[in-house]
Amino acid sequence: MITSAEVEALVHEAHAGQYDKIGVPYVEHVRAVAAGLAPFGDDLYMAGLLHDVIEDTHWTGGRLREAGVPDRVVDIVETVTNRPGIPYEEKIRRIAGDREATLVKIADNAHNSRPDRSARLPGDRRERLAAKYRAARDVLWAAADPAGIETILAVVNPSLLPELRDRLAHGRGSGS
C-alpha cells in the first residue's frame, strides 16, 4: 500500500501547474483539506489530499488503486467527485450518505468558505458561492457528528465555529 508521504508526492505532481479560483497553487487547497482530516487517521488524510484528483487531473479511480491507494480511500474520493449531469445539491445529498465522504466534503467546504479566500473573489461570485456553501453545510452538518465537524473547522476554518455553535444551540443541522 502507498504511504501518506507518497500520496502527498502524487498529489503535488498531479496538480502541478494548477491554480484555484483565487490564483493560489491548487495543491495548497488539498493540503488544507487534508490537514483538517488528519485527526481522523491516514485514510481520511489521504482522501483529503486526493479529493479533487479524479475531477481535476488525468487520474482515475482505477489508476489510484493501481498506484496502491487503499480501496476505501478511492471509494471516498469517487463519492466526492463531481459527475457530469448531476446537480450540486444531489451530489451533496449523495455524499451525506457516507460518513467519511461527508467529513471530506465538510473540510473542502470549510476551506472554500474561508473569509480570506472569498474576499479575493468578485462580489457577485463571492455571494453566490457563499450561499451555495451555506446550503451544502445544512445537509453535510446534519449528517455528521458535531465533535467531528468542530475538529475540522478548528483546523481549516475557525470562522465557521460560531455558525456551528448557533446551529447546535437552535437544534438545526447537526447530529448523527
Side-chain angles (χ1 to χ4, degrees):
M1 283 291 148
I2 195 168
T3 67
S4 292
E6 291 168 325
V7 169
E8 288 174 20
L10 180 157
V11 165
H12 185 76
E13 183 180 321
H15 290 294
Q18 293 180 341
Y19 295 87
D20 67 14
K21 59 187 157 260
I22 62 168
V24 174
Y26 200 80
V27 72
E28 297 305 317
H29 167 67
V30 298
R31 285 182 180 151
V33 169
L37 297 164
F40 300 95
D42 282 347
D43 281 1
L44 279 178
Y45 178 77
M46 285 190 272
L49 286 169
L50 293 165
H51 81 274
D52 280 334
V53 78
I54 294 173
E55 189 172 313
D56 294 335
T57 76
H58 62 278
W59 283 83
T60 64
R63 188 164 175 219
L64 289 171
R65 285 182 175 89
E66 288 170 8
V69 176
D71 286 339
R72 180 61 187 137
V73 173
V74 178
D75 291 344
I76 294 166
V77 172
E78 289 175 333
T79 298
V80 301
T81 296
N82 284 329
R83 297 178 188 165
I86 305 294
Y88 183 76
E89 297 79 13
E90 187 176 327
K91 170 191 169 179
I92 295 300
R93 287 191 300 274
R94 181 187 75 240
I95 291 169
D98 180 312
R99 180 193 158 292
E100 292 171 314
T102 298
L103 294 176
V104 171
K105 193 61 184 173
I106 287 170
D108 180 42
N109 179 293
H111 190 251
N112 286 332
S113 299
R114 286 180 58 98
D116 59 329
R117 291 175 52 79
S118 61
R120 296 173 65 182
L121 296 170
D124 58 334
R125 186 166 189 203
R126 179 176 50 245
E127 290 172 21
R128 183 179 54 78
L129 289 173
K132 173 183 171 179
Y133 296 148
R134 222 178 358 264
R137 287 193 296 275
D138 289 342
V139 176
L140 295 168
W141 288 7
D145 174 59
I149 301 167
E150 188 168 12
T151 297
I152 292 167
L153 298 183
V155 173
V156 180
N157 186 350
S159 74
L160 288 175
L161 287 168
E163 179 182 333
L164 175 64
R165 291 179 184 130
D166 180 63
R167 288 178 187 226
L168 292 172
H170 294 96
R172 300 184 327 261
S174 190
S176 144

